Amino acid sequence: MRMNEKDSCHTHERKSHHSEETKRNLTSRLNRIEGQIRGVKGLIEKDTYCDDVLNQISAVQSALNSVSKILLEGHLRSCVTERLQAGETEVVDELLITMKKMMK
């Protein structure tokens, strides 16, 4: 890992440092979700039965939750761990706020 990548979580210009494999995985998942969203829009335009549309929306939400879980795990294992090791305990408060938003 290059030095600027390792330090990127706790600089003023914070960036993630996901592996290329993780980025491809997340991008692929988000592309599928984007297609699902277009599909839901199409169902609504075609006056599809509400229960069928709601089931598709539930599938989209589940897919987004999966993306969030992958990002959260990576964040905990890298950014949060590194910042705690550097003595930046405010990262815990930041993480708690984010998790509260995720659990709405």
Side-chain angles (χ1 to χ4, degrees):
M1 185 179 302
R2 294 189 308 260
M3 184 64 166
N4 63 347
E5 288 178 326
K6 184 173 181 17
D7 292 340
S8 65
C9 284
H10 45 86
T11 62
H12 292 294
E13 182 186 338
R14 296 186 303 180
K15 292 186 177 183
S16 64
H17 45 271
H18 302 293
S19 68
E20 289 303 315
E21 179 183 349
T22 299
K23 285 190 224 180
R24 280 191 301 274
N25 179 13
L26 292 170
T27 300
S28 175
R29 288 171 182 269
L30 290 168
N31 287 338
R32 284 194 300 273
I33 292 166
E34 188 176 22
Q36 287 177 296
I37 294 291
R38 283 192 301 273
V40 169
K41 182 180 174 189
L43 293 175
I44 291 171
E45 289 169 349
K46 295 176 193 170
D47 295 322
T48 303
Y49 184 61
C50 296
D51 192 58
D52 295 336
V53 177
L54 290 167
N55 282 317
Q56 289 304 309
I57 291 171
S58 178
V60 171
Q61 289 171 326
S62 178
L64 278 171
N65 285 339
S66 292
V67 169
S68 292
K69 288 175 193 173
I70 292 167
L71 285 169
L72 180 59
E73 181 179 346
H75 185 54
L76 286 168
R77 291 184 185 277
S78 61
C79 300
V80 173
T81 300
E82 291 172 11
R83 289 182 65 193
L84 284 172
Q85 289 171 344
E88 298 178 35
T89 57
E90 65 275 6
V91 71
V92 174
D93 293 328
E94 177 186 278
L95 180 61
L96 289 171
I97 290 167
T98 298
M99 291 179 71
K100 286 177 185 176
K101 289 176 186 176
M102 290 174 64
M103 293 180 180
K104 283 185 179 180

